[in-house]
């Protein structure tokens, strides 16, 4: 039978993390009347290289197969909310079967996930309609507004925006902390990476090419004479579309969905993270957190790597070293690769 794995992610500045970890385990043991083993943890994400046993074995497992995973998760959440410094650490909870299962593919949302920006809000700022667009974005990401309608309304507000103004927006776009380190390690482990966004190809293709991501899918803005028409070229990549794209890529590559991981931040990502074996909510809206037990609320993107059982032999050599710059600017990365156009998407959605 499968046991459970509890992974604790502590901020490097947190005082006495060992005492806090012990407090969490004792509270769980008392509440559930079950033994919980393990004492390994890590206290810093900034210096992670995954080259030593402390990092590679940063987990705690239960020794009681009868413990209900949902019950443990609920009790853990209650305990965490009562603890001091609860804002300074994250945690993952999964069964050992899933933890040790090799991940073959990772799919990511782009805006406010791989990127620190919401590109359409930045476009609104450039065009002078940011308040209107941001409010619609907020409602859409919280699941209060139909995504397709919200996208059409926001894009219509950008009618007349020029290509040169889009370039101005591009200059403001930056990666979230840990994005480069995360993608580099996934690629070194042989994992296929996909960027699947409800945003726009103008940005997704540029981001994906600089990170050397294998697949990139998103919406296409309609332009005429170097100006936006206020319309999106169909089909629209919405929540259900994201899930379908994940399934399409997995089938194309021959990957079982239970060996795929997906991560996003808004309600539009819920179908994508529910269709795969491991779905993660990253600094997410409440609507998405309800759909998965895996939350990264405080840590940078590369905290996701602690959900992987990493074989040390795969990290030998040059690429096992942390990049010289953990968080380089997106605009210092070289452009490479080409990605699907609107026709490819249309053909996909007709499958």
């Amino acid at each position: 039978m499968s046991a459970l794995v509890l992974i604790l992610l502590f901020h490097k500045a947190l005082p006495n993390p060992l005492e806090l970890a012990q407090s969490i385990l004792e509270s769980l043991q008392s509440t559930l009347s079950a033994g919980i083993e393990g004492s390994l943890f890590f206290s810093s994400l900034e210096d992670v290289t995954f080259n030593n046993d402390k990092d590679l074995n940063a987990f705690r497992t239960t020794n009681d197969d009868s413990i209900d995973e949902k019950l443990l998760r609920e009790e853990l959440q209650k305990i965490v909310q009562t603890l001091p410094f609860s804002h300074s650490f994250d945690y993952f909870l999964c069964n050992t079967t899933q933890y040790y299962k090799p991940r073959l593919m990772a799919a990511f949302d782009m805006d406010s996930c791989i990127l620190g920006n919401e590109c359409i809000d930045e476009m609104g700022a450039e065009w002078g309609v940011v308040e209107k667009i941001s409010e619609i974005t907020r409602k859409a990401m919280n699941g209060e507004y139909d995504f397709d309608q919200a996208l059409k309304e926001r894009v219509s507000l950008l009618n007349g925006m020029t290509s040169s103004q889009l370039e101005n927006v591009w200059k403001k776009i930056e990666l979230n902390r840990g994005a480069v380190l995360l993608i580099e390690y996934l690629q070194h482990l042989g994992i296929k990476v996909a960027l699947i966004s409800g945003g726009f190809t103008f940005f997704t293709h540029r981001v994906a090419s600089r990170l050397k991501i294998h697949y990139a899918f998103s919406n296409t803005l309609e332009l005429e004479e170097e100006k936006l028409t206020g319309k999106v070229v169909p089909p629209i990549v919405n929540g259900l579309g994201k899930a379908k794209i994940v399934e399409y890529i997995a089938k194309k590559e021959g990957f079982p969905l239970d060996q795929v991981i997906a991560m996003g931040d808004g309600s539009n990502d819920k179908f994508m993270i529910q269709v795969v074996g491991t779905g993660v909510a990253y600094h997410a809206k409440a609507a998405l957190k309800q759909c998965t037990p895996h939350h990264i609320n405080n840590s940078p993107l590369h905290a996701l790597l602690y959900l992987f059982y990493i074989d040390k032999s795969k990290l030998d050599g040059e690429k096992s070293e942390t990049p010289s710059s953990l968080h380089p600017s997106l605009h210092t990365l070289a452009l490479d690769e080409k990605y699907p156009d609107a026709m490819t998407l249309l053909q996909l959605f007709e499958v």
Side-chain angles (χ1 to χ4, degrees), residues 61-340:
T61 61
T62 67
N63 63 0
D64 186 345
D65 291 338
S66 66
I67 295 178
D68 181 81
E69 184 174 350
K70 182 179 179 182
L71 175 60
L72 181 58
R73 187 165 65 246
E74 290 174 350
E75 292 302 322
L76 177 61
Q77 182 65 31
K78 292 177 184 177
I79 292 167
V80 167
Q81 289 174 346
T82 66
L83 290 172
F85 308 111
S86 62
H87 62 285
S88 297
F89 67 92
D90 294 319
Y91 56 88
F92 299 122
L93 180 66
C94 59
N95 61 57
T96 50
T97 300
Q98 189 65 21
Y99 178 67
Y100 288 109
K101 186 173 293 184
R103 289 355 189 262
L104 303 176
M105 170 183 158
F108 299 98
D109 179 37
M110 182 180 70
D111 295 69
S112 297
C113 187
I114 293 298
L115 295 181
N117 315 69
E118 283 287 338
C119 291
I120 196 166
D121 289 357
E122 298 290 353
M123 292 167 68
E126 178 72 19
W127 194 236
V129 292
V130 64
E131 291 185 3
K132 293 180 180 179
I133 285 182
S134 294
E135 178 60 16
I136 299 173
T137 299
R138 183 191 66 77
K139 291 181 178 180
M141 292 302 97
N142 284 328
E144 302 170 16
Y145 207 164
D146 175 72
F147 179 84
D148 290 21
Q149 186 60 33
L151 182 66
K152 291 176 182 177
E153 287 187 17
R154 287 177 292 174
V155 172
S156 69
L157 293 170
L158 300 170
N159 184 21
M161 188 175 188
T162 66
S163 295
S164 62
Q165 287 175 308
L166 281 175
E167 294 293 345
N168 290 339
V169 174
W170 168 245
K171 295 173 184 176
K172 301 175 184 177
I173 303 304
E174 280 295 354
L175 298 168
N176 258 326
R177 292 178 63 79
V180 171
L181 181 58
L182 170 62
I183 301 303
E184 282 190 358
Y185 270 111
L186 293 179
Q187 291 168 337
H188 186 56
L189 292 169
I191 294 169
K192 291 289 184 180
V193 182
L195 191 63
I196 304 174
S197 172
F200 308 115
T201 54
F202 181 88
F203 302 103
T204 52
H205 290 182
R206 294 182 181 206
V207 172
S209 66
R210 283 161 174 78
L211 293 175
K212 297 179 175 59
I213 289 174
H214 303 98
Y215 293 94
F217 290 93
S218 58
N219 294 299
T220 301
L221 293 165
E222 185 180 78
L223 288 103
E224 290 182 1
E225 298 180 353
E226 300 301 312
K227 292 183 179 181
L228 298 185
T229 65
K231 298 179 181 179
V232 178
V233 178
I236 288 176
V237 179
N238 54 23
L240 289 172
K242 285 186 172 187
K244 189 169 184 179
I245 291 169
V246 169
E247 292 174 326
Y248 163 79
I249 297 173
K251 182 178 180 180
K252 179 177 180 292
E253 294 286 350
F255 298 154
L257 284 170
D258 67 354
Q259 290 180 263
V260 175
I261 192 166
M263 184 162 73
D265 73 295
S267 64
N268 191 41
D269 300 307
K270 65 181 180 180
F271 299 107
M272 178 173 73
I273 70 169
Q274 287 176 324
V275 78
V276 300
T278 305
V280 181
Y282 175 76
H283 294 216
K285 313 298 185 294
L288 187 65
K289 289 182 178 181
Q290 296 172 3
C291 303
T292 174
H294 308 300
H295 301 170
I296 301 177
N297 297 319
N298 311 288
S299 304
L301 281 164
H302 58 290
L304 179 68
L305 291 168
Y306 283 96
L307 253 183
F308 290 69
Y309 173 72
I310 300 176
D311 181 351
K312 287 179 65 177
S313 66
K314 293 186 177 182
L315 294 176
D316 291 337
E318 276 185 19
K319 291 193 176 180
S320 65
E321 298 299 328
T322 304
S324 57
S325 174
L326 280 178
H327 310 295
S329 167
L330 174 63
H331 303 285
T332 65
L333 304 177
L335 178 65
D336 193 15
E337 304 290 342
K338 291 185 177 180
Y339 293 89

